[in-house]
Amino acid sequence: MIIIVGPFPPPVHGAALITQRVTDRLAAEGFRLLLCNTAPGKVTARWRHHLSRIAAYLRCWRTILGARFDSRRSNAVYVSLSGGFGLLYDFVVVALARLKRYNVVLHHHSFSYLARPSRIMRAITGIAGADQLHIALCSKMATSISRQYGANLRTVVVSNLAFFDLEESDRVLVGRELRTIGYLSNISREKGIDRFLDMMAELRSRGSTLAGCIAGPFGDADIEAYVKRRMDEIGGIDYVGPVFDDAKDRLLSSVDVLVFPTRYVHEAQPLVIFEAQAAGALVSASDRGCIADMLSRELLLDSNANDLTKIVDQLLAWEGDASIFSAALEEAGELRSNLREQRRRDFEKFYDALERFKG
């Protein structure tokens, strides 16, 4: 049996989606699960957010202490680790799990405590012990975990793709012209909306007629006003609002290139990149977290997307010469085909690592 500790939607964000999909995949494979939702729910006021989160963790801690496992079987507490001060709550989760002599599975979703060592994370790995399982999203993350918190930690690399339902896309790639550049995220400066707009402005100043498309919820009223003002100034950019499920699939199938110039400190392995690639779009993004392993070096921006020259030049070249863009689309088609095999391999690794907790 496994106790799943982590955020579930709402709100909708990467870690919550992965926790939900991990749960769904394990349940489909016949694992017995007990769920502890640590998300604060749909609260907007900051003080209510923190109170709701504390209440959620209190329920979780009570569940761990009160769980009745079959002592003849191997049991575990799976923890979707937080990225910031939420690690303090996770420390208590791990401490209670070890007090009850449960195995611990730590699923990492943030690079914030890998770029800079965290005393809280060091305490978590220390109390968990070297024989407990760490799930890293890429080889860079696995190396960083070992370097920062101990070379003897037991780590398996499983990408988020393992839990991602790839849509069958019949989108024709060869012969397509470059027309639309997309941005899809929770809209904020941390997620690079200002740099996307700077890129569109630079394209306009150099004579480009490429259309822009922005999708996602605004972080606050100030960023909404900023984005809409700049859209009016630049021209040729549409805002389509938040998109989910089929609407998101349709959006990603309508853009030719997705540009994601994030500078988010916790950025690890954005689901939107896999989703765009599965839809047949080319992707350019900042060199943060595991992103360098997800796309070609030619489309990789610097870690803060400070220099947009390379991507602007590339977009203009594709716009001016359809044959160059066609060659890039061929590579995108190969990548789309490889995603399904990677998904299968990664889930097999995840299943093999957790199989002893089944039943």
Side-chain angles (χ1 to χ4, degrees):
M1 183 172 175
I2 301 177
I3 299 178
I4 303 286
V5 178
F8 290 79
V12 177
H13 53 74
L17 286 173
I18 290 300
T19 304
Q20 182 65 66
R21 290 178 179 182
V22 164
T23 300
D24 293 343
R25 291 299 305 271
L26 290 177
E29 294 291 336
F31 284 79
R32 291 177 59 230
L33 306 174
L34 189 59
L35 308 186
C36 286
N37 184 6
T38 61
K42 292 182 177 180
V43 293
T44 55
R46 195 171 186 83
W47 65 272
R48 289 188 63 189
H49 173 94
H50 289 296
L51 285 179
S52 296
R53 194 173 188 191
I54 291 170
Y57 270 97
L58 285 172
R59 290 192 295 270
C60 176
W61 300 336
R62 187 169 63 246
T63 296
I64 293 172
L65 288 173
R68 293 291 185 265
F69 282 156
D70 185 343
S71 61
R72 296 169 298 177
R73 298 179 181 274
S74 293
N75 306 293
V77 175
Y78 163 99
V79 186
S80 173
L81 287 168
S82 304
F85 287 109
L87 287 172
L88 285 170
Y89 303 129
D90 293 337
F91 171 79
V92 179
V93 169
V94 175
L96 293 178
R98 298 306 289 151
L99 179 67
K100 296 278 288 187
R101 297 186 180 181
Y102 303 152
N103 295 283
V104 174
V105 179
L106 301 174
H107 201 159
H108 297 263
H109 297 288
S110 172
F111 264 81
S112 64
Y113 53 78
L114 299 177
R116 294 182 178 181
S118 161
R119 292 181 180 178
I120 308 172
M121 191 65 217
R122 195 176 303 280
I124 289 174
T125 56
I127 200 168
D131 59 338
Q132 302 305 301
L133 180 64
H134 293 255
I135 300 174
L137 304 181
C138 62
S139 57
K140 177 183 176 182
M141 178 178 273
T143 300
S144 298
I145 292 170
S146 297
R147 184 176 63 247
Q148 297 287 12
Y149 302 107
N152 59 337
L153 297 179
R154 190 161 64 94
T155 306
V156 60
V157 176
V158 177
S159 75
N160 284 332
L161 193 61
F163 316 104
F164 177 59
D165 295 326
L166 289 174
E167 294 296 323
E168 291 285 351
S169 177
D170 56 359
R171 186 181 191 184
V172 177
L173 299 182
V174 178
R176 197 172 82 224
E177 294 183 2
L178 174 60
R179 292 192 176 93
T180 305
I181 308 167
Y183 172 96
L184 172 59
S185 180
N186 291 320
I187 300 173
S188 66
R189 284 183 169 83
E190 281 187 316
K191 291 289 187 173
I193 187 59
D194 55 327
R195 300 305 286 143
F196 178 84
L197 292 166
D198 290 343
M199 180 197 70
M200 291 301 303
E202 179 63 19
L203 286 169
R204 289 288 178 269
S205 73
R206 295 174 63 177
S208 173
T209 60
L210 293 173
C213 179
I214 296 173
F218 289 108
D220 54 47
D222 288 341
I223 197 68
E224 180 177 3
Y226 164 79
V227 170
K228 290 184 175 179
R229 174 180 59 79
R230 293 207 62 193
M231 285 173 57
D232 289 341
E233 293 171 352
I234 297 167
I237 305 174
D238 291 327
Y239 173 62
V240 301
V243 291
F244 304 99
D245 303 323
D246 292 343
K248 180 166 65 174
D249 293 337
R250 288 193 297 273
L251 173 82
L252 291 173
S253 294
S254 71
V255 303
D256 301 300
V257 180
L258 182 82
V259 179
F260 185 49
T262 177
R263 57 174 76 94
Y264 184 47
V265 67
H266 298 294
E267 204 72 75
Q269 194 179 58
L271 291 174
V272 70
I273 293 180
F274 284 136
E275 291 169 326
Q277 290 170 335
L282 292 159
V283 179
S284 176
S286 306
D287 186 3
R288 284 194 169 270
C290 296
I291 291 176
D293 291 341
M294 303 172 73
L295 43 87
S296 68
R297 301 295 300 182
E298 292 76 15
L299 296 178
L300 190 65
L301 307 175
D302 63 84
S303 60
N304 289 312
N306 289 325
D307 185 2
L308 297 171
T309 304
K310 183 170 67 172
I311 185 58
V312 169
D313 288 345
Q314 184 64 80
L315 289 168
L316 289 169
W318 285 340
E319 184 182 14
D321 190 333
S323 65
I324 300 176
F325 187 56
S326 292
L329 289 175
E330 289 184 14
E331 295 182 12
E334 293 176 7
L335 177 59
R336 184 172 68 176
S337 299
N338 293 336
L339 289 179
R340 296 188 183 281
E341 178 60 22
Q342 181 186 346
R343 176 180 183 269
R344 183 191 63 78
R345 290 196 310 266
D346 281 358
F347 185 74
E348 284 182 356
K349 286 193 292 183
F350 182 76
Y351 181 90
D352 290 345
L354 272 64
E355 185 177 15
R356 66 192 180 102
F357 307 126
K358 190 174 182 179

